[in-house]
């Protein structure tokens, strides 16, 4: 569907953002595909304390999930995203020999997202606004309406919160934890604070979006 067609299909900002958010999440299957390799790595490390074996199991499961997607001819986007993250984590851990480093890229990724979204809020160009721009075909027109900017700012805060929570919890465990306990804690935190936390944030965003009907194109004032 073209941007023009989507703009016609969604006559309010809330409807447009809901549609775009739905595209960004992989549903229940996406949640499972993201969690399984991390669970496998964590359990394998706790059981064997063999980093190489744990990495092989984790990456292999991701590849299997990707192949299933390809065979079923369904979108592999979410598995590929997960596989890239796991591969980077595996590279870090294999280079240092410390299983904790498997989780470092995720912590850094969330920190980067958090800073980027916070900067977008401070500069009054909240990132959620660009979801509207992707629907209307004009990436910046939404910024002319103060009501839309306020709505997108609140939504961006909600989107940023899971990233901030992950960094606040996982960062100290990575920096100060040691041994199997730290790996287990990081694995548990990544699973619990991954998709479940993201879905909770999405639910809060959808609740806020359900309360309003902001026109996607503000009415033109009479001459």
């Amino acid at each position: 569907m073209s941007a023009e067609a989507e703009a016609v299909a969604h006559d309010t900002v809330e409807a447009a953002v809901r549609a775009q958010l739905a595209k960004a999440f992989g549903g229940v299957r996406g949640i499972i595909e993201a969690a399984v390799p991390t669970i496998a790595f964590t359990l394998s490390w706790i059981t064997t304390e063999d980093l190489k074996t744990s990495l092989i199991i984790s990456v292999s499961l991701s590849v299997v999930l990707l192949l299933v997607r390809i065979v079923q001819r369904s979108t592999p986007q979410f598995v590929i995203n997960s596989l890239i993250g796991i591969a980077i984590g595996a590279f870090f851990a294999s280079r240092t020999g410390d299983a904790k480093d498997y989780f470092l890229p995720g912590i850094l990724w969330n920190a980067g997202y958090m800073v980027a979204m916070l900067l977008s809020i401070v500069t009054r160009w909240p990132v959620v606004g660009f979801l509207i721009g992707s629907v209307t075909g004009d990436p910046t027109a939404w910024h002319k309406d103060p009501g839309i900017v306020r709505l997108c700012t609140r939504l961006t805060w909600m989107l940023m919160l899971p990233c901030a929570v992950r960094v606040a919890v996982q960062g100290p465990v990575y920096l100060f934890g040691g041994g199997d306990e730290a790996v287990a804690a990081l694995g548990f935190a990544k699973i619990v604070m991954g998709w479940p936390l993201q879905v909770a944030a999405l639910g809060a965003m959808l609740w806020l979006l359900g309360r309003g009907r902001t026109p996607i194109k503000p009415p033109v004032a009479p001459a």
Side-chain angles (χ1 to χ4, degrees):
M1 184 183 290
S2 67
E4 291 80 4
E6 283 198 276
V8 171
H10 308 300
D11 60 347
T12 66
V13 170
E14 289 80 7
V17 175
R18 279 198 302 270
Q20 294 301 89
L21 287 174
K23 292 180 181 179
F25 290 84
V28 174
R29 183 172 180 177
I31 294 171
I32 294 172
E33 288 170 340
V36 164
T38 299
I39 294 172
F41 174 83
T42 305
L43 292 178
S44 177
W45 170 256
I46 292 172
T47 303
T48 67
E49 294 191 9
D50 187 319
L51 180 59
K52 184 177 180 180
T53 300
S54 302
L55 292 175
I56 290 173
I57 291 173
S58 178
V59 174
S60 298
L61 279 173
S62 297
V63 172
V64 169
L65 292 171
L66 177 60
L67 291 175
V68 170
R69 283 278 192 175
I70 293 173
V71 169
Q72 295 179 341
R73 296 184 179 181
S74 60
T75 176
Q77 172 191 345
F78 304 103
V79 181
I80 291 174
N81 292 344
S82 176
L83 180 57
I84 291 172
I86 290 164
I88 294 173
F91 174 78
F92 272 60
S94 62
R95 292 281 292 182
T96 64
D98 189 341
K100 283 197 308 180
D101 287 330
Y102 178 85
F103 302 96
L104 179 58
I107 297 171
L108 296 177
W109 182 268
N110 278 279
Y113 258 90
M114 180 183 68
V115 170
M117 284 188 276
L118 183 59
L119 286 174
S120 79
I121 291 169
V122 171
T123 57
R124 293 187 58 76
W125 282 90
V127 295
V128 173
F130 294 99
L131 294 178
I132 299 166
S134 68
V135 171
T136 62
D138 187 333
T140 61
W142 58 272
H143 194 258
K144 300 174 184 176
D145 188 323
I148 295 180
V149 172
R150 286 193 296 272
L151 172 65
C152 291
T153 297
R154 291 195 291 269
L155 291 170
T156 303
W157 276 113
M158 292 180 177
L159 193 61
M160 186 186 80
L161 185 60
C163 296
V165 171
R166 291 176 193 132
V167 173
V169 173
Q170 296 175 31
V173 176
Y174 173 81
L175 291 173
F176 306 114
D180 292 351
E181 294 79 7
V183 175
L186 286 168
F188 178 77
K190 183 171 182 177
I191 295 162
V192 172
M193 295 181 178
W195 279 101
L197 190 58
Q198 200 69 50
V199 168
L202 177 63
M205 294 171 75
L206 294 177
W207 173 81
L208 179 61
L209 289 167
R211 300 179 63 196
R213 289 189 59 81
T214 308
I216 201 162
K217 291 184 178 179
V220 178

